[in-house]
Coordinates of all heavy atoms in Angstrom, one line a residue:
M1 N -58.1 14.0 3.7 CA -59.1 13.1 4.2 C -58.7 11.6 3.5 O -58.4 11.7 2.4 CB -60.5 13.5 3.8 CG -61.7 12.6 4.3 SD -63.2 13.2 4.4 CE -63.7 13.2 2.6
E2 N -58.8 10.7 4.3 CA -58.7 9.4 3.7 C -59.8 8.4 3.9 O -60.4 8.3 5.0 CB -57.4 8.7 4.4 CG -57.2 7.3 4.0 CD -55.8 6.8 4.1 OE1 -55.1 7.3 5.0 OE2 -55.5 5.7 3.6
I3 N -60.3 7.9 2.7 CA -61.3 7.0 2.8 C -60.9 5.6 2.3 O -60.4 5.4 1.2 CB -62.5 7.4 1.8 CG1 -62.9 8.8 2.2 CG2 -63.6 6.5 1.9 CD1 -64.0 9.5 1.3
Q4 N -61.1 4.6 3.2 CA -60.8 3.2 2.8 C -62.1 2.4 2.7 O -62.9 2.5 3.6 CB -59.9 2.6 3.9 CG -58.4 3.0 4.0 CD -57.8 2.1 5.0 OE1 -58.2 2.2 6.1 NE2 -56.6 1.7 4.6
V5 N -62.3 1.7 1.6 CA -63.4 0.8 1.3 C -62.9 -0.6 1.5 O -62.1 -1.1 0.9 CB -64.1 1.2 0.0 CG1 -65.3 0.2 -0.1 CG2 -64.4 2.5 -0.2
C6 N -63.6 -1.4 2.3 CA -63.3 -2.8 2.5 C -63.7 -3.5 1.0 O -64.9 -3.4 0.6 CB -64.1 -3.5 3.5 SG -63.8 -5.2 3.7
I7 N -62.7 -4.3 0.6 CA -63.0 -5.0 -0.6 C -62.9 -6.6 -0.3 O -62.6 -7.4 -1.3 CB -62.0 -4.6 -1.8 CG1 -60.7 -4.7 -1.4 CG2 -62.4 -3.2 -2.3 CD1 -59.6 -4.7 -2.5
G8 N -63.1 -6.9 1.0 CA -63.1 -8.3 1.4 C -64.4 -9.0 0.7 O -65.3 -8.3 0.2
S9 N -64.4 -10.2 0.7 CA -65.4 -11.0 -0.1 C -66.9 -10.7 0.4 O -67.8 -10.5 -0.4 CB -65.2 -12.5 0.0 OG -65.1 -12.9 1.3
G10 N -67.0 -10.4 1.7 CA -68.3 -10.2 2.3 C -68.9 -8.8 1.8 O -70.0 -8.6 1.4
C11 N -68.0 -7.8 1.8 CA -68.3 -6.4 1.4 C -68.4 -6.3 -0.2 O -69.3 -5.7 -0.7 CB -67.3 -5.4 1.8 SG -67.5 -5.2 3.7
H12 N -67.6 -7.2 -0.9 CA -67.7 -7.2 -2.2 C -69.2 -7.8 -2.7 O -69.7 -7.1 -3.6 CB -66.6 -8.2 -2.8 CG -66.8 -8.4 -4.3 ND1 -66.4 -7.5 -5.2 CD2 -67.2 -9.4 -5.0 CE1 -66.6 -7.9 -6.4 NE2 -67.3 -9.1 -6.3
L13 N -69.5 -8.8 -1.9 CA -70.9 -9.3 -2.2 C -72.0 -8.3 -1.9 O -73.2 -8.4 -2.6 CB -71.2 -10.6 -1.5 CG -70.4 -11.8 -1.9 CD1 -70.6 -13.0 -1.0 CD2 -70.8 -12.1 -3.3
K14 N -71.8 -7.4 -1.0 CA -72.7 -6.3 -0.7 C -72.6 -5.1 -1.5 O -73.2 -4.1 -1.2 CB -72.7 -6.1 0.8 CG -73.1 -7.1 1.7 CD -73.2 -6.7 3.1 CE -74.0 -7.8 3.8 NZ -74.3 -7.4 5.3
G15 N -71.7 -5.1 -2.6 CA -71.6 -4.0 -3.5 C -70.6 -3.1 -3.3 O -70.7 -1.9 -3.7
A16 N -69.4 -3.5 -2.6 CA -68.3 -2.5 -2.5 C -67.8 -1.9 -3.6 O -67.4 -0.6 -3.6 CB -67.2 -3.3 -1.7
H17 N -67.8 -2.5 -4.8 CA -67.3 -1.9 -6.0 C -68.3 -0.8 -6.5 O -67.9 0.1 -7.1 CB -67.2 -3.0 -7.1 CG -68.4 -3.9 -7.4 ND1 -69.0 -4.8 -6.5 CD2 -69.2 -4.0 -8.4 CE1 -69.9 -5.3 -7.0 NE2 -70.2 -4.9 -8.3
Y18 N -69.7 -0.9 -6.1 CA -70.5 0.2 -6.5 C -70.2 1.4 -5.7 O -70.2 2.5 -6.2 CB -72.0 -0.2 -6.4 CG -72.4 -1.3 -7.4 CD1 -72.7 -2.5 -7.0 CD2 -72.4 -1.1 -8.8 CE1 -73.1 -3.5 -7.9 CE2 -72.8 -2.0 -9.7 CZ -73.2 -3.3 -9.2 OH -73.5 -4.2 -10.1
V19 N -70.0 1.1 -4.4 CA -69.6 2.2 -3.4 C -68.3 3.0 -3.9 O -68.2 4.1 -3.9 CB -69.4 1.7 -2.1 CG1 -68.8 2.7 -1.1 CG2 -70.8 1.2 -1.5
I20 N -67.3 2.1 -4.2 CA -66.0 2.7 -4.8 C -66.2 3.5 -6.1 O -65.8 4.6 -6.1 CB -65.1 1.5 -5.0 CG1 -64.7 0.9 -3.8 CG2 -63.9 2.1 -5.7 CD1 -63.8 -0.3 -3.9
K21 N -67.1 2.9 -6.8 CA -67.3 3.7 -8.1 C -68.0 5.0 -7.9 O -67.7 6.1 -8.5 CB -68.2 2.9 -9.1 CG -68.6 3.5 -10.5 CD -69.4 2.5 -11.3 CE -69.7 3.1 -12.7 NZ -70.8 4.0 -12.5
R22 N -69.0 5.0 -7.1 CA -69.7 6.4 -6.7 C -68.7 7.3 -5.9 O -68.8 8.6 -6.1 CB -70.9 6.0 -5.8 CG -71.7 7.2 -5.4 CD -72.2 8.0 -6.6 NE -72.8 9.2 -6.3 CZ -72.8 10.4 -7.0 NH1 -72.2 10.3 -8.2 NH2 -73.4 11.4 -6.6
L23 N -67.9 6.7 -5.0 CA -66.9 7.6 -4.2 C -66.0 8.2 -5.2 O -65.6 9.4 -5.1 CB -66.1 6.7 -3.3 CG -66.8 6.6 -1.9 CD1 -66.2 5.6 -1.1 CD2 -67.0 7.9 -1.1
K24 N -65.5 7.5 -6.3 CA -64.7 8.1 -7.2 C -65.2 9.3 -7.9 O -64.7 10.4 -8.1 CB -64.2 7.1 -8.3 CG -63.2 6.2 -7.9 CD -62.9 5.1 -9.0 CE -61.8 4.1 -8.6 NZ -61.5 3.1 -9.5
E25 N -66.6 9.1 -8.3 CA -67.4 10.3 -8.8 C -67.4 11.4 -7.9 O -67.3 12.6 -8.2 CB -68.8 9.8 -9.2 CG -68.7 8.9 -10.4 CD -70.1 8.1 -10.5 OE1 -71.1 8.4 -9.8 OE2 -70.2 7.3 -11.5
L26 N -67.7 11.1 -6.5 CA -67.9 12.2 -5.5 C -66.6 12.9 -5.2 O -66.6 14.1 -5.2 CB -68.4 11.7 -4.3 CG -69.8 11.1 -4.2 CD1 -70.2 10.2 -3.2 CD2 -70.9 12.3 -4.4
V27 N -65.4 12.1 -5.3 CA -64.2 12.8 -5.0 C -63.8 13.6 -6.2 O -63.3 14.8 -6.0 CB -63.1 11.7 -4.9 CG1 -61.6 12.3 -4.9 CG2 -63.3 10.9 -3.4
A28 N -64.1 13.2 -7.4 CA -63.7 14.0 -8.6 C -64.6 15.2 -8.6 O -64.1 16.3 -9.1 CB -64.1 13.1 -9.8
G29 N -65.8 15.2 -8.1 CA -66.7 16.3 -8.1 C -66.4 17.2 -6.9 O -67.2 18.2 -6.6
N30 N -65.4 16.9 -6.1 CA -65.2 17.6 -4.9 C -64.6 19.0 -5.1 O -64.4 19.8 -4.2 CB -64.4 16.7 -3.8 CG -64.6 17.2 -2.5 OD1 -65.5 17.7 -2.1 ND2 -63.4 16.9 -1.8
G31 N -64.2 19.3 -6.2 CA -63.7 20.6 -6.6 C -62.5 21.0 -5.9 O -61.5 20.4 -5.8
T32 N -62.5 22.2 -5.2 CA -61.4 22.9 -4.6 C -61.1 22.4 -3.1 O -60.3 22.9 -2.5 CB -61.5 24.3 -4.8 OG1 -62.7 24.6 -3.9 CG2 -61.6 24.8 -6.0
A33 N -62.0 21.4 -2.6 CA -61.8 21.0 -1.3 C -60.5 20.3 -1.1 O -59.8 20.0 -2.0 CB -62.9 20.3 -0.8
K34 N -60.1 20.0 0.0 CA -58.8 19.4 0.4 C -58.9 18.0 -0.3 O -59.9 17.5 -0.5 CB -58.8 19.2 1.9 CG -58.4 20.4 2.6 CD -58.2 20.0 4.1 CE -58.1 21.4 4.9 NZ -58.1 21.2 6.4
P35 N -57.7 17.5 -0.7 CA -57.6 16.2 -1.4 C -58.2 15.1 -0.7 O -58.2 15.1 0.7 CB -56.1 16.0 -1.7 CG -55.4 17.2 -1.2 CD -56.5 18.1 -0.5
V36 N -58.7 14.2 -1.3 CA -59.4 12.9 -0.6 C -58.5 11.7 -1.2 O -58.3 11.5 -2.4 CB -60.8 12.8 -1.0 CG1 -61.3 11.4 -0.4 CG2 -61.5 13.9 -0.4
R37 N -58.0 11.0 -0.4 CA -57.2 9.8 -0.7 C -58.3 8.6 -0.6 O -58.6 8.2 0.5 CB -56.0 9.5 0.3 CG -55.1 8.5 -0.3 CD -53.8 8.6 0.4 NE -52.9 7.5 0.0 CZ -52.6 6.4 0.9 NH1 -53.1 6.5 2.1 NH2 -51.9 5.5 0.5
L38 N -58.6 7.9 -1.6 CA -59.4 6.8 -1.7 C -58.6 5.5 -1.9 O -57.9 5.3 -2.9 CB -60.4 7.0 -2.8 CG -61.5 5.9 -3.0 CD1 -62.4 5.9 -1.8 CD2 -62.3 6.3 -4.3
T39 N -58.7 4.6 -0.9 CA -57.9 3.4 -1.0 C -58.9 2.1 -0.6 O -60.0 2.4 -0.1 CB -56.8 3.3 -0.1 OG1 -57.3 3.4 1.3 CG2 -55.8 4.4 -0.4
A40 N -58.4 1.0 -0.9 CA -59.2 -0.2 -0.5 C -58.6 -0.9 0.7 O -57.4 -0.7 1.0 CB -59.1 -1.1 -1.7
S41 N -59.3 -1.7 1.3 CA -58.7 -2.4 2.6 C -59.3 -3.9 2.4 O -60.2 -4.1 1.8 CB -59.2 -1.7 3.9 OG -60.5 -2.0 4.1
F42 N -58.5 -4.7 3.3 CA -58.9 -6.0 3.4 C -60.0 -6.1 4.5 O -60.5 -5.2 5.0 CB -57.8 -7.0 3.7 CG -56.8 -7.1 2.5 CD1 -55.6 -6.5 2.7 CD2 -57.1 -7.7 1.3 CE1 -54.7 -6.5 1.6 CE2 -56.4 -7.7 0.4 CZ -55.0 -7.1 0.4
C43 N -60.6 -7.4 4.8 CA -61.8 -7.5 5.6 C -61.4 -6.8 7.0 O -60.4 -6.9 7.6 CB -61.9 -9.1 5.9 SG -63.2 -9.3 7.0
Q44 N -62.5 -6.0 7.4 CA -62.5 -5.3 8.7 C -63.3 -6.0 9.8 O -63.5 -5.5 10.8 CB -63.1 -3.9 8.4 CG -62.4 -3.1 7.4 CD -61.0 -2.7 7.8 OE1 -60.8 -2.1 8.8 NE2 -60.0 -3.1 7.0
E45 N -63.5 -7.4 9.4 CA -64.0 -8.3 10.5 C -65.5 -7.8 11.0 O -65.9 -8.0 12.1 CB -63.2 -8.5 11.8 CG -61.8 -9.0 11.3 CD -60.9 -9.3 12.4 OE1 -61.2 -9.0 13.5 OE2 -59.8 -9.8 12.0
S46 N -66.3 -7.1 10.0 CA -67.7 -6.8 10.3 C -68.4 -7.1 9.2 O -69.3 -6.3 8.6 CB -67.7 -5.2 10.6 OG -67.0 -4.9 11.8
C47 N -68.2 -8.2 8.6 CA -68.6 -8.7 7.3 C -70.3 -8.6 7.2 O -70.7 -8.3 6.2 CB -68.3 -10.0 6.9 SG -66.5 -10.3 7.1
T48 N -70.9 -9.0 8.3 CA -72.3 -8.9 8.3 C -72.8 -7.6 8.3 O -74.1 -7.2 8.1 CB -72.9 -9.6 9.5 OG1 -72.5 -9.0 10.7 CG2 -72.6 -11.1 9.5
E49 N -72.0 -6.4 8.5 CA -72.4 -5.0 8.5 C -71.8 -4.2 7.5 O -71.6 -3.1 7.4 CB -72.1 -4.4 9.9 CG -72.7 -5.2 11.0 CD -72.2 -4.6 12.4 OE1 -71.0 -5.0 12.8 OE2 -72.9 -4.0 13.0
G50 N -71.4 -5.0 6.3 CA -70.8 -4.3 5.2 C -71.8 -3.6 4.3 O -73.0 -3.8 4.5
V51 N -71.4 -2.8 3.6 CA -70.0 -2.5 3.3 C -69.4 -1.6 4.4 O -70.1 -0.6 4.8 CB -70.0 -1.8 1.8 CG1 -68.6 -1.3 1.5 CG2 -70.6 -2.6 0.8
V52 N -68.2 -2.0 4.7 CA -67.5 -1.2 5.7 C -66.6 -0.2 5.1 O -65.7 -0.5 4.2 CB -66.7 -2.3 6.8 CG1 -65.9 -1.4 7.7 CG2 -67.7 -3.1 7.3
V53 N -66.6 1.1 5.6 CA -65.8 2.1 5.0 C -65.1 2.8 6.4 O -65.8 3.0 7.3 CB -66.6 3.2 4.3 CG1 -65.8 4.3 3.8 CG2 -67.3 2.5 3.0
R54 N -64.0 3.1 6.0 CA -63.2 3.8 7.2 C -62.9 5.2 6.7 O -62.2 5.4 5.6 CB -61.8 3.0 7.4 CG -61.3 3.2 8.8 CD -60.0 2.4 8.9 NE -60.4 1.1 9.5 CZ -60.3 0.8 10.7 NH1 -60.0 1.6 11.7 NH2 -60.6 -0.4 11.0
I55 N -63.3 6.2 7.3 CA -63.1 7.6 7.0 C -62.3 8.2 8.0 O -62.7 8.5 9.2 CB -64.4 8.3 6.8 CG1 -65.3 7.6 5.7 CG2 -64.2 9.8 6.4 CD1 -66.6 8.3 5.6
N56 N -61.1 8.6 7.7 CA -60.1 9.2 8.7 C -60.1 8.3 9.9 O -59.9 8.9 11.1 CB -60.4 10.6 9.0 CG -60.2 11.5 7.9 OD1 -59.4 11.2 7.0 ND2 -60.9 12.6 7.9
G57 N -60.0 7.0 9.7 CA -59.8 6.0 10.8 C -61.2 5.6 11.5 O -61.2 4.8 12.4
V58 N -62.3 6.4 11.2 CA -63.5 6.0 11.8 C -64.3 5.1 10.9 O -64.5 5.3 9.8 CB -64.4 7.4 12.0 CG1 -65.7 7.0 12.6 CG2 -63.5 8.4 12.9
V59 N -64.8 3.9 11.6 CA -65.4 2.9 10.8 C -66.9 3.3 10.6 O -67.5 3.7 11.6 CB -65.3 1.5 11.6 CG1 -66.2 0.6 11.0 CG2 -63.8 1.1 11.7
V60 N -67.3 3.2 9.3 CA -68.7 3.4 9.1 C -69.2 2.1 8.4 O -68.7 1.5 7.6 CB -69.0 4.6 8.1 CG1 -70.5 4.8 7.8 CG2 -68.3 5.8 8.7
K61 N -70.3 1.6 9.1 CA -70.8 0.3 8.6 C -72.1 0.4 7.7 O -72.8 1.5 7.8 CB -71.1 -0.6 9.8 CG -69.7 -1.0 10.5 CD -70.1 -1.7 11.8 CE -68.8 -2.0 12.5 NZ -68.9 -2.7 13.8
N62 N -72.5 -0.7 7.2 CA -73.8 -0.6 6.4 C -73.8 0.5 5.4 O -74.8 1.1 5.0 CB -75.0 -0.5 7.3 CG -75.1 -1.8 8.3 OD1 -75.1 -2.9 7.7 ND2 -75.1 -1.5 9.6
V63 N -72.7 0.7 4.6 CA -72.7 1.7 3.6 C -73.1 1.0 2.3 O -72.8 -0.1 2.1 CB -71.1 2.2 3.4 CG1 -71.0 3.2 2.2 CG2 -70.6 2.8 4.7
S64 N -73.8 1.8 1.5 CA -74.5 1.2 0.4 C -74.5 2.4 -0.7 O -74.3 3.5 -0.3 CB -75.8 0.7 0.5 OG -76.7 1.7 0.8
I65 N -74.8 2.0 -2.0 CA -75.1 3.0 -2.9 C -76.2 3.9 -2.5 O -76.2 5.0 -3.0 CB -75.3 2.3 -4.3 CG1 -75.0 3.2 -5.5 CG2 -76.7 1.6 -4.4 CD1 -73.6 3.6 -5.7
G66 N -77.1 3.5 -1.7 CA -78.2 4.4 -1.3 C -77.8 5.5 -0.3 O -78.6 6.4 -0.1
N67 N -76.7 5.3 0.6 CA -76.4 6.2 1.5 C -75.0 6.8 1.3 O -74.7 7.7 2.2 CB -76.6 5.6 3.0 CG -75.7 4.4 3.2 OD1 -74.6 4.3 2.5 ND2 -76.0 3.7 4.3
I68 N -74.2 6.4 0.4 CA -72.9 7.0 0.4 C -72.8 8.4 0.1 O -71.9 9.1 0.5 CB -72.1 6.1 -0.8 CG1 -70.6 6.5 -0.6 CG2 -72.5 6.3 -2.1 CD1 -69.9 6.2 0.7
D69 N -73.7 8.9 -0.7 CA -73.7 10.4 -1.0 C -73.7 11.2 0.3 O -73.0 12.1 0.6 CB -74.7 10.7 -1.9 CG -74.5 10.4 -3.4 OD1 -74.0 9.2 -3.6 OD2 -74.7 11.2 -4.3
T70 N -74.6 10.8 1.2 CA -74.9 11.5 2.5 C -73.6 11.3 3.4 O -73.2 12.2 4.0 CB -76.2 10.9 3.2 OG1 -77.2 11.1 2.2 CG2 -76.4 11.6 4.4
I71 N -73.2 10.1 3.4 CA -72.0 9.8 4.3 C -70.8 10.7 3.9 O -70.1 11.3 4.5 CB -71.7 8.2 4.2 CG1 -72.7 7.6 5.0 CG2 -70.3 8.0 4.9 CD1 -72.7 6.1 4.9
F72 N -70.6 10.7 2.5 CA -69.5 11.4 1.9 C -69.7 12.9 2.2 O -68.6 13.7 2.8 CB -69.3 11.3 0.4 CG -68.3 12.0 -0.1 CD1 -67.0 11.5 -0.1 CD2 -68.5 13.3 -0.8 CE1 -65.9 12.2 -0.7 CE2 -67.4 14.0 -1.4 CZ -66.1 13.4 -1.3
R73 N -70.8 13.5 2.0 CA -71.0 15.0 2.3 C -70.8 15.3 3.8 O -70.2 16.2 4.0 CB -72.5 15.3 1.9 CG -72.7 15.7 0.5 CD -74.0 16.4 0.2 NE -75.2 15.7 0.7 CZ -75.8 14.8 -0.1 NH1 -75.4 14.6 -1.4 NH2 -76.9 14.2 0.3
E74 N -71.3 14.4 4.7 CA -71.1 14.7 6.0 C -69.7 14.5 6.5 O -69.2 15.4 7.3 CB -71.9 13.7 6.9 CG -73.4 13.9 6.8 CD -74.3 12.9 7.5 OE1 -73.7 11.9 7.9 OE2 -75.4 13.0 7.5
A75 N -68.9 13.7 5.9 CA -67.5 13.6 6.1 C -66.8 14.8 5.6 O -65.8 15.4 6.3 CB -66.9 12.3 5.5
V76 N -67.0 15.3 4.4 CA -66.4 16.5 3.9 C -66.8 17.7 4.8 O -65.9 18.5 5.0 CB -66.9 16.7 2.4 CG1 -66.6 18.1 2.0 CG2 -66.3 15.7 1.5
A77 N -68.0 17.8 5.3 CA -68.4 18.9 6.2 C -67.7 18.9 7.4 O -67.4 19.9 8.0 CB -69.9 18.8 6.3
R78 N -67.4 17.6 8.0 CA -66.8 17.6 9.3 C -65.2 18.0 9.3 O -64.6 18.3 10.2 CB -66.8 16.1 9.8 CG -68.1 15.9 10.5 CD -67.9 14.6 11.4 NE -67.4 13.4 10.6 CZ -68.1 12.6 9.9 NH1 -69.5 12.7 9.9 NH2 -67.7 11.6 9.3
R79 N -64.7 17.8 8.1 CA -63.1 17.9 8.1 C -62.6 19.4 8.2 O -63.4 20.3 8.0 CB -62.5 17.2 6.9 CG -62.7 17.9 5.6 CD -62.3 17.0 4.5 NE -62.7 17.6 3.3 CZ -62.1 17.3 2.1 NH1 -61.1 16.5 2.1 NH2 -62.5 18.0 1.1
Ligands
FES101 S1 -65.4 -8.3 4.0 FE1 -65.7 -6.3 4.5 S2 -65.7 -6.5 6.8 FE2 -65.3 -8.5 6.1

């Protein structure tokens, strides 16, 4: 599974670094599941709907520290 977090200035202002920090914790706690590749991306041209995260190519908008756990769990369950 590949997860890309936008680190453009719009998403940065909306807390992208907190989302990345939490994702690192979730990936580390993912145990024996398939590997997760966590990377950063430049602006995805949806700055007003940031934080923008791409999971296996699917764009997820309005990601925050408040919903990233749920989004991650659902993505892991889908793969
Ligand atoms: S800065 Fe993230 S979509 Fe533009």
Side-chain angles (χ1 to χ4, degrees):
M1 181 163 77
E2 177 158 18
I3 302 176
Q4 284 184 308
V5 181
C6 176
I7 54 165
S9 52
C11 289
H12 175 76
L13 288 173
K14 290 187 165 190
H17 54 293
Y18 294 116
V19 171
I20 291 170
K21 181 174 182 287
R22 182 59 186 149
L23 275 170
K24 283 182 180 175
E25 293 169 357
L26 290 167
V27 169
N30 199 28
T32 57
K34 289 181 187 170
V36 177
R37 187 162 176 258
L38 180 60
T39 59
S41 73
F42 294 112
C43 180
Q44 300 295 301
E45 300 180 1
S46 297
C47 311
T48 58
E49 299 169 291
V51 176
V52 176
V53 176
R54 200 178 277 265
I55 301 175
N56 290 335
V58 177
V59 172
V60 184
K61 298 175 181 176
N62 298 305
V63 178
S64 70
I65 196 69
N67 62 16
I68 188 58
D69 284 46
T70 303
I71 290 167
F72 181 81
R73 272 197 304 273
E74 288 174 356
V76 167
R78 273 199 308 272
R79 64 184 181 164

